[in-house]
Amino acid sequence: MNKTASAFTGPLAIPTPEGEFAAWYSDRGLARLDFPPRRGSARVRQRAGGIRPPGLHQWHRLTTRAVQEVLAGRPPASLPPLDLRPGTPFQQSVWRELLEIRPGEMRSYGEVAGRLGRPRASRAVGAACGANPIPLLVPCHRVVAAGGRLGGFSGGLSRKIALLSREGVTVDGSRVQQSVPRGGWPR
DNA sequence: TAACATTCCGCGC
DNA sequence: GCGCGGAATGTTA
């Protein structure tokens, strides 16, 4: 009844001011990142077993630093290798597109779809964002709906709002806008 | 085939 | 301008 051994490491904890994130690695790099549990005090149960890829220690150091930088609203200096293989080809192309969005920048689901050459696939882009296994570092929180509306977030909309405002985006009610417009502030 | 983290258009306030 | 409803839409399990 035992399934084949997991192709991942057990979860490794990443301490942050918001609680412990949990990172999972495959032989190719970071494969999954979980938000801290809603109940703040719970700790990540680090579990031995699973695979133990060479370089794991350094990957985890990179992940830890990158997570902390994104939480501080800064672009991460470098990312660990990301293993996006579990995604379909379309999902992977969406996720790679998200990696180009810098902190404080936003794109609509439709804009992302357009950049992929499928301008009608905005809804499919939303679905791909929802399936993103590495939130935060693959910044699905920077994808919003058209017209400055917020769109959704699988980790809870309040988290999306918190992340965006920390990056300098103005959020009022269900509307978002970049705080610093192109060409600087109007006067 | 049904379910979506959408978008667009037309309406009525 | 805003909020609604309805239809078209691409991808996925």
Side-chain angles (χ1 to χ4, degrees):
Chain A
M1 48 171 298
N2 188 20
K3 310 206 165 78
T4 52
S6 157
F8 300 93
T9 64
L12 298 185
I14 296 180
T16 78
E18 336 232 320
E20 286 186 341
F21 285 69
W24 308 66
Y25 299 85
S26 74
D27 57 332
R28 303 268 188 103
L30 178 64
R32 170 178 158 192
L33 182 66
D34 294 342
F35 282 105
R38 267 303 186 187
R39 277 323 205 195
S41 54
R43 309 282 308 265
V44 170
R45 265 180 41 171
Q46 305 201 58
R47 162 162 73 64
I51 61 170
R52 191 108 319 223
L56 172 63
H57 187 67
Q58 193 205 348
W59 293 348
H60 192 56
R61 236 189 22 245
L62 288 172
T63 304
T64 301
R65 201 168 50 193
V67 166
Q68 290 167 348
E69 285 180 310
V70 172
L71 287 179
R74 293 194 308 269
S78 60
L79 294 177
L82 305 179
D83 185 359
L84 304 179
R85 280 176 303 171
T88 66
F90 177 80
Q91 288 170 336
Q92 294 188 32
S93 65
V94 171
W95 299 338
R96 272 193 291 271
E97 192 62 39
L98 303 193
L99 287 169
E100 315 259 311
I101 314 179
R102 326 241 338 132
E105 258 185 89
M106 294 181 299
R107 299 219 177 101
S108 72
Y109 299 97
E111 283 172 327
V112 173
R115 281 172 170 254
L116 297 175
R118 285 174 183 70
R120 316 248 146 215
S122 50
R123 202 155 180 194
V125 167
C129 289
N132 170 21
I134 313 181
L136 221 77
L137 301 191
V138 176
C140 49
H141 59 282
R142 300 186 189 129
V143 187
V144 297
R149 280 182 312 280
L150 201 39
F153 198 65
S154 15
L157 262 191
S158 59
R159 269 209 265 255
K160 186 174 190 171
I161 293 170
L163 289 167
L164 286 174
S165 18
R166 219 174 282 136
E167 296 181 2
V169 170
T170 300
V171 185
D172 68 352
S174 56
R175 294 304 169 104
V176 287
Q177 74 183 106
Q178 296 202 190
S179 296
V180 182
R182 283 228 252 268
W185 289 102
R187 352 181 285 109

